[in-house]
Amino acid sequence: MTWTPSPMPCATPNSSTPRIVLGVAGGIAAYKSVELLRLLREKGYHVAPVLTPDATRFVGTVTFSALASEPARTSLYGDPTTPIPHTYLGSNATLIVVAPATAHLIARYAMGLADDLLTATLLATRAPVLLCPTMHTEMWEQPSVQENLATLRRRGVLVLEPDVGHLAGGDEGAGRLPEAATIAELVEKIVGGYRGALTGTRVLISAGGTREVIDPVRVLTNRSSGRQGYALAEVACRMGASVTLVSTVEGTLSLDTVSAIDVVQVETAAELHEAMMKRTLESDCVIMAAAVADFTPRASAKKLKKRDGPPELHLEPTPDVLADLVAHRPKGQIIVGFAAETNDVIENALVKLREKGVDLLVVNDVATPGAGFAHATNEVVILDRHAEPERVTLRSKEAISWEILARVAALLPQGAQ
Ligand code: CTP
């Protein structure tokens, strides 16, 4: 059987036609990507299949070529019409979807390897990438696989979680390739600009501990590192939100997606208050992860001298930023507060949830080992006025952020997404 050009020949795709590179890795679910290819073609996309050498053990290239807009490719070498196929495919792609994405393909992509046409194409593109991981449950649950996916997510790769159900080994569990129609629908959304559950929302986040000025040299501050707020900003950005981060942290934390996040530098509670109030009306969601000082001294313009003895600091209350945000909230805005507690954690936090009028309150027991201030990990309880408290056990601040922001996405009115 020879390849029959389908209605959209490879040489002359309409320039406005979305171009999808369909990557197929070597797993038994490779046969299902034939159906996905058919559905993508039905939607009018120009589809160029790229199979790894192992994928061809499961499905022949002829089948893909017969349905695709271009012949299926399997190698970086030997195609006289496209001598540099990975850059041709990568730079022309509107989207690359890899279905199935095996554990091996995911690991190679996370490592930045380019040892076949598919991985080379993944590196040679600026287009969005959607991975559909498919494997046995034991493999799916391996920390190595999950860490590779976390790395790729951090770099902006979209991941469609596998379905739970019957697997090829006769067992049941997570690891099935979702239905081709589900993948095709997601592809259509991504082509239309969707980048995650917060696409189209504007999220305002505060991070870090405020520093209250005693004199030009000395400050009163707290133990907050800003890590949780930064992780929230990164994850919100990866979920498609446009993010403004009001931060007291200078230079000690970095953002992978820094160019996409608008960072506003502040130092004191008063500055943080002003920065947040200036931006709240145009935000769909506000997250107060900053540890704001409750009291501030009257600042001395000159350095206090030791020889004058210990100064008497007269402390005055700072503005309650969260209370002001709640008082001025626009309709439909979701407000998330944080609570740092050391004792009677849930009881105190339930009182705070009621009194502060927030939609979600994320409670940190800062006395828990590995949680709270300055740690890379955190353990929290998410309180919702309309749901049971949810404990999110010890994990990275990034993983905690996914949990919090998934709750935010579920609360947002549909129109914002
Ligand atoms: N917060 C604020 N402005 C302040 C103090 C706190 O916006 N002046 C915010 C924090 O960012 C957090 C929430 O209020 O989202 C709760 O902060 P927390 O320190 O736990 O509670 P407080 O209201 O300060 O009460 P207390 O210190 O007595 O527990």
Side-chain angles (χ1 to χ4, degrees):
M1 187 178 169
T2 51
W3 177 68
T4 318
S6 23
M8 235 180 290
C10 64
T12 54
N14 183 325
S15 61
S16 64
T17 303
R19 300 181 63 115
I20 312 295
V21 172
L22 174 60
V24 185
I28 181 60
Y31 79 92
K32 294 186 180 173
S33 37
V34 176
E35 174 66 358
L36 174 60
L37 166 57
R38 197 184 62 75
L39 291 178
L40 295 176
R41 291 288 291 125
E42 260 179 33
K43 286 187 187 287
Y45 300 142
H46 181 99
V47 186
V50 176
L51 281 70
T52 64
D54 277 349
T56 64
R57 294 171 181 265
F58 294 91
V59 200
T61 52
V62 173
T63 313
F64 282 91
S65 294
L67 295 167
S69 316
E70 305 190 17
R73 293 182 174 82
T74 58
S75 173
L76 276 159
Y77 310 105
D79 178 353
T81 61
T82 335
I84 316 177
H86 59 304
T87 57
Y88 159 73
L89 290 162
S91 57
N92 287 305
T94 310
L95 166 68
I96 300 181
V97 48
V98 185
T102 56
H104 189 219
L105 183 283
I106 291 165
R108 288 188 294 138
Y109 185 22
M111 286 284 289
L113 298 182
D115 54 352
D116 64 12
L117 178 57
L118 181 52
T119 47
T121 305
L122 286 166
L123 294 195
T125 194
R126 294 201 170 91
V129 173
L130 170 66
L131 294 183
C132 304
T134 310
M135 61 198 77
H136 285 283
T137 309
E138 294 81 352
M139 298 171 82
W140 170 246
E141 289 175 351
Q142 278 298 328
S144 55
V145 172
Q146 291 303 321
E147 278 164 27
N148 286 333
L149 282 170
T151 300
L152 291 168
R153 279 191 169 112
R154 195 161 46 240
R155 296 175 188 156
V157 172
L158 294 154
V159 177
L160 177 62
E161 299 265 320
D163 276 355
V164 177
H166 287 292
L167 300 171
D171 47 346
E172 276 202 34
R176 274 172 71 89
L177 186 69
E179 293 301 321
T182 307
I183 303 172
E185 269 169 37
L186 182 55
V187 165
E188 195 172 6
K189 280 171 76 178
I190 297 168
V191 168
Y194 176 87
R195 294 292 179 272
L198 294 177
T199 300
T201 57
R202 294 152 304 172
V203 179
L204 176 63
I205 299 172
S206 68
T210 59
R211 288 189 297 179
E212 305 304 318
V213 177
I214 297 173
D215 68 16
V217 175
R218 304 177 179 96
V219 291
L220 279 183
T221 189
N222 58 61
R223 291 180 191 275
S224 170
S225 64
R227 279 176 183 239
Q228 185 64 70
Y230 272 62
L232 280 161
E234 294 258 29
V235 173
C237 191
R238 267 178 266 134
M239 288 172 78
S242 57
V243 179
T244 300
L245 179 65
V246 175
S247 167
T248 65
V249 182
E250 274 175 299
T252 48
L253 291 178
S254 63
L255 290 162
D256 287 350
T257 34
V258 71
S259 58
I261 295 173
D262 179 23
V263 182
V264 180
Q265 207 68 50
V266 294
E267 185 175 30
T268 64
E271 287 169 12
L272 189 134
H273 178 251
E274 191 190 337
M276 296 298 285
M277 296 315 292
K278 207 162 142 189
R279 292 165 179 83
T280 181
L281 292 182
E282 66 215 30
S283 304
D284 301 300
C285 169
V286 181
I287 305 180
M288 275 297 296
V292 187
D294 290 320
F295 307 102
T296 187
R298 220 172 274 151
S300 159
K302 287 194 201 143
K303 187 183 174 200
L304 302 175
K305 299 307 286 178
K306 188 166 63 181
R307 63 170 171 268
D308 296 333
E312 253 180 44
L313 294 182
H314 175 75
L315 299 177
E316 289 169 354
T318 55
D320 188 328
V321 187
L322 194 53
D324 241 5
L325 289 166
V326 170
H328 294 94
R329 82 158 78 185
K331 195 165 179 293
Q333 185 186 65
I334 302 299
I335 301 187
V336 182
F338 271 69
E341 301 290 346
T342 55
N343 54 286
D344 304 322
V345 174
I346 299 298
E347 293 80 351
N348 282 338
L350 282 169
V351 173
K352 259 184 204 168
L353 176 71
R354 260 197 323 275
E355 287 181 352
K356 303 243 172 206
V358 292
D359 298 285
L360 297 176
L361 189 74
V362 182
V363 189
N364 277 308
D365 177 351
V366 286
T368 304
F373 296 140
H375 293 286
T377 50
N378 207 1
E379 177 172 317
V380 301
V381 178
I382 304 177
L383 300 183
D384 179 331
R385 275 187 294 159
H386 307 292
E388 288 296 304
E390 180 191 336
R391 178 170 293 280
V392 186
T393 52
L394 194 69
R395 60 195 74 185
S396 70
K397 287 188 172 169
E398 184 190 329
I400 297 275
S401 303
W402 282 100
E403 298 292 333
I404 297 168
L405 290 163
R407 297 284 291 262
V408 167
L411 289 175
L412 278 167
Q414 283 305 313
Q417 292 172 50

